[in-house]
Each structure stands twice: as C-alpha cells, then as structure tokens.
C-alpha cells in the first residue's frame, strides 16, 4: 500500500521540481533584464528637466504644483491641457512633486523603473503567448521571449521614451496596456468575467496615460489570431464589442482634446491633403521599420518635408510604391502565421501616429511612438534567431552575430541617453547632426 502511494506521488514531485526550476530560471532572467536595463540607462538618473523642450509646461505646471487636493484631482481628470488628455501621466507628476518637489532624479527614476517593468512584462507576455499557442518547444519559448525582451531593454530607438520626461506618457500607457494583455491571456484560459472586467479597467488606465491605447481591441484580436481562436465564433466578436465601443469613445475624447487647442480632425486648422497623408504614412512606416532593425541617425526631431500647401518632394513618392511592391512580391512570406502576427502588431500600434487621420503632430516621425509597436519587430527578430539556432550548421555564427548586435545597440543606447541630459546638450546634438548632413550634401554636390 505504501509502495503504491509513493509511486503515485512521484509524478507530482517531478512536476513540483520542474515548476521550481522553471521559476528559478524565470527569476534569474528577470534579474538579468533588470541589470542590463540599469547598465544602459543609469546616466538618465543624473539628467535635468528639459526646460526648453516641453518639460517646462508638460511637467512643470499648475496641475503638478497644486497637489493632491480635491479640486486639483478633479481638474486633472476632467480638463484638457494644451491639446492633451493624459490624467494618469499628470497624476504621476503631481504625486512625485508632492513627495520630492521638482527634483528631476525622482522623476527620471520612475521612468527607468517603468521601462524595466515594461521589459519584464514583454518577456512574460511572449512566454505566455507562445505557450498558449502550443506550437513551440519549451527551449524556443524561453529563447524567443528573452531575446525580444533584451532587445527592447537596450534598443536606442526607445531611449527617447525613457530619457525624456515629457514622453513618460508612453511609458505609463504601455505599462497598463501590457498588463491588460496579460490579463486577457489569463481570460482566454479561465473565461472568468473578473478577468474580462480587469482588462476593461486597465484599458481605461492605459488610455489615461496616452491616447495610443485605443488600439487595444485590435491588439486582442491579433492575440486571438496568434493562439488560433475561431474567428467564426460569435462570442469572440461579442466580447470585443464593449472594448471597441470604449475605444471609439476614447478616440472621440482625443479629437476633442486636440480641437480644444485648435488642432486635429475636429478643428478648422489647415491640414495636408489626403494623398500627402498617404505618402507620409508610407514614409513613416518605412522609417520606423528600418530604425527598429538598424537604429541609425536617431534624432529628437524629424520634421515634415514640406509645409502645408506645398508639394511633397519627389523622392517621397517612391515610398507608397515601394511598400506596395514589397507587400505583393513577398505576400507568401508576410502571410506566414507568426510573421503576420509580428508585422501586424507593429502596424496596428503605429496606426494612430501615421498621419492618415489628421491629428496634432509637428513631426513626421517620433522615436517615442514606436515604443509598443517595436515589440512586433523585436519578436520577429527573436523568432528568426531562434530558427537559425535550431540549425546546428549556423548555431555558433548566429550566437556571435546576435551577441554583437545586442552589445552594439546597447552601447549606442547608453551613449544616446546622455544627449537628453539637458536642453543645451539636446540642441547641440541636433546642430551637429544638421552640420554633418549639410557637409555630406555639399560633398555630394561637389562630386
């Protein structure tokens, strides 16, 4: 009898041991991601406010200084401010000011902590998603999740969101957004109404950080696609309906906030014609994609190529044609299950920043807008590295090239974070970039 009991308990002991080992590996990975992120971003902790680049009104304002009074909290929740509505972000400033005053260290520390939290959430999200899809070996799941997270942790294209306080809206919206995604994955397993309601709650909190959160219902459909849910199911669409309604309301609030500042779709402000918006969108997608893969010539300002009412330079016309040709020529590649997921994740989360809908933007591209969208590209990079590692012939070469890539972008991100030290340093960086560009153009003309 005792022998049978011992025999039957053996599988449960093995499962407990396996779970213990997996938990230790996960904890070790998370500690490594934290360490690498701190190594890249510790210069940010000594940065000052950008008093000539938006911090002087985004961070330093009456809402921040009036504290946690009932009237100020109501104002934060209900008022539009300079064409923006981001109460969760403003509340973070108010709380920090109430505790530490205008000490930039604490403001920057919070930004670094939230970025690290987002990196960890991405790692756990990819692991959970791939496990739920049941199409990957355990080794591949861990590898893809880790590589996606490590690239996000050290990529220079994301530095602006972490190093610039006025971009903290991106970090806060992303944090709540990623939590909503995690809870949705739990909902797919449990089907509990409580999980669904938590998704709604964190959707609202994410929008309170930044309007880009309106993409969440489409993102959840992408997750449904990734785990191969049946799109013919009425329940799948029924559960998304409330989220789409909320997203529509959020979109309208965003347009109202911009029109209050006499900008955006609902205002009478001059705007580019629709055909130019398509050209700008094509150019922007290309730039975001290229800089995710090869982060070069990063800047805090990418201006439109022409003023409203002027013609677009001829070279920009090639971008819509180029994208169309690439999409058609490689359609067999794009429609592969995980390739489609990664590319779609990238496009969906850039959607509100691509100028197709006229909104208040003075830059054709902005590094901060790619923060969540980049996860789709980083995932694909990790996915293909994993495939290469499964080929013994190229395993050592793949490991070496991957290590060198991560090391090089990490060093670049560390250096790039330093230009955000203060406004003088930031402006000097742009002057040097413009000088190099002008010198290159003169040299080319002389040839």
């Amino acid at each position: 009898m005792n022998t049978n009991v011992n025999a039957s308990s053996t599988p449960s002991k093995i499962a407990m041991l396996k779970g213990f080992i997996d938990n230790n590996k996960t904890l070790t990975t998370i500690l490594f991601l934290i360490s690498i992120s701190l190594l890249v971003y510790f210069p940010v902790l000594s940065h000052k406010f950008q008093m000539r680049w938006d911090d002087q009104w985004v961070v330093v304002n009456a809402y921040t200084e009036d504290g946690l009074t009932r009237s100020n909290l109501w104002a934060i929740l209900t008022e539009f401010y300079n064409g923006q509505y981001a109460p969760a972000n403003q509340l973070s400033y108010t709380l920090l000011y109430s505790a530490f005053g205008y000490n930039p260290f604490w403001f920057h520390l919070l930004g670094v902590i939230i970025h690290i939290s987002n990196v960890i959430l991405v790692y756990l999200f990819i692991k959970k998603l791939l496990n739920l899809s049941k199409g990957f070996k355990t080794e591949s799941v861990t590898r893809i999740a880790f590589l996606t997270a490590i690239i996000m942790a050290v990529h220079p294209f994301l530095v602006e969101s972490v190093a610039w306080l006025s971009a903290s809206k991106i970090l806060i919206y992303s944090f709540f957004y990623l939590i909503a995604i995690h809870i949705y994955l739990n909902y797919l397993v449990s089907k509990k109404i409580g999980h669904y309601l938590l998704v709604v709650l964190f959707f609202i909190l994410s929008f309170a950080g930044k309007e880009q959160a309106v993409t969440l219902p489409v993102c959840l459909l992408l997750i449904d696609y990734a785990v191969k849910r049946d799109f013919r199911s009425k329940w799948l669409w029924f559960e998304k309906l409330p989220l789409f309604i909320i997203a529509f309301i959020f979109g309208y609030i965003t347009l109202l906030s911009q029109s209050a500042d006499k900008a955006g779709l609902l205002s009478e402000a001059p705007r580019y014609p629709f055909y130019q918006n398509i050209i700008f969108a094509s150019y922007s997608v290309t730039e975001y994609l290229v800089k995710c893969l090869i982060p070069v010539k990063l800047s805090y300002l990418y201006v439109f190529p022409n003023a409203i009412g002027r013609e677009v330079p001829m070279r920009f016309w090639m971008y819509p044609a180029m994208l169309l040709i690439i999409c058609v020529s490689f359609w067999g590649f794009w429609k592969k299950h995980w390739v489609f997921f990664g590319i779609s994740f990238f496009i969906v989360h850039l959607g509100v920043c691509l100028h197709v809908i006229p909104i208040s933007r003075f830059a054709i591209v902005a590094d901060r807008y790619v923060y969540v969208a980049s996860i789709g590209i980083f995932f694909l990079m990790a996915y293909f590295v994993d495939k290469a590692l499964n080929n013994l012939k190229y395993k050592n070469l793949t490991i070496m090239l991957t290590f060198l890539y991560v090391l090089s972008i990490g060093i670049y991100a560390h250096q790039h974070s330093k230009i955000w030290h203060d406004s003088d340093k930031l402006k000097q960086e742009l002057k040097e970039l413009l000088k190099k560009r002008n010198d290159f153009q003169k040299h080319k003309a002389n040839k």
Side-chain angles (χ1 to χ4, degrees):
M1 185 175 178
N2 289 337
T3 304
N4 291 337
V5 171
N6 290 336
S8 63
S9 65
T10 299
S12 63
K13 288 180 179 179
I14 293 173
M16 288 177 61
L17 180 61
K18 185 177 182 298
F20 177 76
I21 294 171
D22 288 345
N23 289 337
N24 277 348
K25 285 183 178 178
T26 299
L27 179 60
T28 302
T29 301
I30 288 173
L31 290 175
F32 181 78
L33 290 171
I34 292 171
S35 301
I36 291 298
S37 299
L38 287 173
L39 192 61
V40 169
Y41 281 105
F42 77 81
V44 172
L45 300 178
S46 64
H47 287 3
K48 301 177 182 179
F49 293 115
Q50 291 288 343
M51 296 307 289
R52 285 183 287 155
W53 192 244
D54 286 1
D55 284 1
Q56 74 277 9
W57 64 271
V58 174
V59 183
V60 180
N61 58 50
Y63 297 108
T64 302
E65 296 165 7
D66 286 352
L68 301 173
T69 65
R70 182 180 299 178
S71 60
N72 190 42
L73 290 174
W74 180 250
I76 290 171
L77 289 172
T78 60
E79 293 179 2
F80 300 141
Y81 177 55
N82 282 20
Q84 299 190 12
Y85 181 71
N89 183 63
Q90 177 55 60
L91 186 59
S92 72
Y93 298 151
T94 304
L95 287 168
L96 287 169
Y97 177 80
S98 298
F100 307 109
Y102 281 129
N103 184 338
F105 169 80
W106 297 102
F107 286 77
H108 284 296
L109 177 63
L110 179 62
V112 172
I113 289 173
I114 297 176
H115 174 65
I116 293 172
S117 300
N118 290 340
V119 168
I120 295 168
L121 284 169
V122 166
Y123 169 69
L124 297 175
F125 159 58
I126 298 299
K127 274 191 74 174
K128 191 180 293 186
L129 179 71
L130 298 186
N131 280 324
L132 199 57
S133 73
K134 299 178 181 178
F136 293 85
K137 294 179 181 178
T138 302
E139 183 181 0
S140 290
V141 168
T142 303
R143 200 153 52 197
I144 293 171
F146 172 72
L147 284 173
T148 304
I150 197 70
I151 294 171
M152 182 179 182
V154 305
H155 204 287
F157 206 11
L158 308 188
V159 164
E160 178 177 277
S161 299
V162 186
W164 184 29
L165 286 177
S166 292
S168 61
K169 295 186 287 291
I170 297 289
L171 297 176
I172 289 175
Y173 120 75
S174 303
F175 177 69
F176 291 125
Y177 195 95
L178 290 167
I179 291 176
I181 289 174
H182 273 274
I183 297 172
Y184 182 72
L185 289 173
N186 291 337
Y187 165 76
L188 291 181
V189 175
S190 70
K191 298 298 180 183
K192 291 181 179 178
I193 187 65
H195 284 151
Y196 182 86
L197 293 175
L198 282 174
V199 171
V200 175
L201 172 62
F202 281 96
F203 184 20
I204 294 170
L205 291 173
S206 182
F207 174 75
K210 188 167 176 58
E211 73 278 357
Q212 279 180 267
V214 298
T215 58
L216 183 67
V218 183
C219 176
L220 299 186
L221 285 174
L222 274 178
I223 290 174
D224 291 336
Y225 167 80
V227 299
K228 299 180 180 178
R229 290 185 73 191
D230 185 2
F231 275 73
R232 294 170 296 181
S233 168
K234 293 181 180 179
W235 177 251
L236 182 147
W237 295 101
F238 178 76
E239 69 189 13
K240 301 299 184 303
L241 182 60
L243 297 172
F244 273 106
I245 292 172
I246 294 170
F248 178 81
I249 295 170
F250 286 166
Y252 185 64
I253 291 172
T254 300
L255 294 177
L256 285 177
S257 68
Q258 294 181 351
S259 66
D261 199 43
K262 298 180 179 178
L265 185 64
L266 299 183
S267 72
E268 296 181 358
R271 58 180 66 112
Y272 291 98
F274 183 71
Y275 81 91
Q276 290 191 2
N277 287 337
I278 297 299
I279 294 171
F280 297 150
S282 302
Y283 170 79
S284 297
V285 166
T286 306
E287 281 292 291
Y288 284 123
L289 177 58
V290 170
K291 283 180 166 55
C292 278
L293 298 171
I294 310 170
V296 296
K297 296 182 179 179
L298 299 180
S299 175
Y300 72 95
L301 184 61
Y302 307 87
V303 297
F304 279 90
N306 58 294
I308 294 175
R310 298 289 184 89
E311 284 300 317
V312 182
M314 285 303 298
R315 68 184 179 88
F316 282 83
W317 283 86
M318 73 176 183
Y319 288 97
M322 180 180 66
L323 286 180
L324 182 61
I325 292 169
I326 291 173
C327 287
V328 173
S329 301
F330 296 94
W331 178 243
F333 174 72
W334 304 128
K335 70 179 183 180
K336 291 180 183 296
H337 188 78
W338 290 106
V339 175
F340 181 83
F341 170 78
I343 292 294
S344 297
F345 195 98
F346 174 70
I347 297 295
V348 163
H349 291 96
L350 281 178
V352 297
C353 307
L354 292 180
H355 317 289
V356 177
I357 299 174
I359 50 179
S360 179
R361 303 272 185 244
F362 64 87
I364 191 169
V365 168
D367 291 5
R368 59 192 179 277
Y369 294 147
V370 82
Y371 190 85
V372 172
S374 65
I375 296 168
I377 302 303
F378 300 159
F379 165 78
L380 282 180
M381 293 167 70
Y383 173 76
F384 285 114
V385 167
D386 176 71
K387 279 191 168 297
L389 289 173
N390 289 329
N391 187 329
L392 294 178
K393 184 178 179 181
Y394 300 108
K395 186 173 183 178
N396 290 336
L397 178 62
T398 301
I399 291 172
M400 183 184 69
L401 291 178
T402 303
F403 174 77
L404 290 174
Y405 177 80
V406 172
L407 178 64
S408 62
I409 63 173
I411 292 171
Y412 184 12
H414 179 82
Q415 293 301 118
H416 189 54
S417 71
K418 295 177 182 179
I419 73 166
W420 291 92
H421 180 73
D422 55 31
S423 295
D424 290 334
K425 180 77 173 175
L426 190 66
K427 304 287 184 181
Q428 182 60 34
E429 180 73 13
L430 183 62
K431 289 178 182 177
E432 290 176 4
L433 182 65
L434 291 174
K435 184 178 183 302
K436 288 179 182 177
R437 187 173 299 172
N438 290 335
D439 290 345
F440 174 76
Q441 290 174 348
K442 287 179 181 178
H443 176 71
K444 191 175 179 181
N446 290 335
K447 277 190 171 183

